[in-house]
Amino acid sequence: MFLVKVITPHGVYGETEATILNVTTPDGVRGILSNHMPIVTPIAIGKMSLGMEGDSYSYRYNYATGSGMLYFRNNSATVLVDEIARADEIEVDEVLMEKEHLERMLQDKKLEEHVRNGLKKDLALAKIKLKVARMEND
């Protein structure tokens, strides 16, 4: 078992213990188990899950995360992300409205590239929030 601490720009989001941590990286999903070698890896917009031994790794918590970094050393994981939402915190109706709004905005051909890139990032996060929230409700 190891400690998982999640930090956002707003401060400490939470701390919990887990025996497995899965995060989405630019290279795919990476799983971290107790006693994993030290690692520093970027986190991509995607799903993060935490599991406990004894429940066949049926995940206790599923999250949608923005981008960030994962640091793991001495059975302690620090997850630094720009945004995170646990599945049961996600307001599906609000995220659906946000997703539709972002899709409409991206249809504007006059957007500057940096604005378009920001909107695409926001849209990717909205989509993963919907996916994570729906998984929890299945």
Side-chain angles (χ1 to χ4, degrees), residues 65-134:
T65 69
S67 55
M69 294 294 292
L70 165 68
Y71 299 90
F72 185 87
R73 184 171 169 243
N74 297 330
N75 277 331
S76 179
T78 301
V79 177
L80 304 170
V81 287
D82 55 11
E83 188 170 342
I84 188 167
R86 196 174 59 229
D88 61 353
E89 297 172 334
I90 299 169
E91 297 292 334
V92 173
D93 292 338
E94 286 180 24
V95 178
L96 276 171
M97 288 175 33
E98 178 185 1
K99 177 183 168 283
E100 291 168 5
H101 176 71
L102 291 165
E103 288 170 338
R104 281 192 306 273
M105 289 179 68
L106 280 166
Q107 291 175 1
D108 183 352
K109 304 293 184 206
K110 298 176 186 173
L111 290 175
E112 294 183 28
E113 186 174 349
H114 73 280
V115 173
R116 182 172 301 282
N117 290 341
L119 293 173
K120 285 180 181 179
K121 181 180 175 187
D122 292 345
L123 180 59
L125 184 56
K127 286 179 179 179
I128 199 68
K129 283 181 180 179
L130 291 172
K131 181 178 179 180
V132 167
R134 288 178 176 148

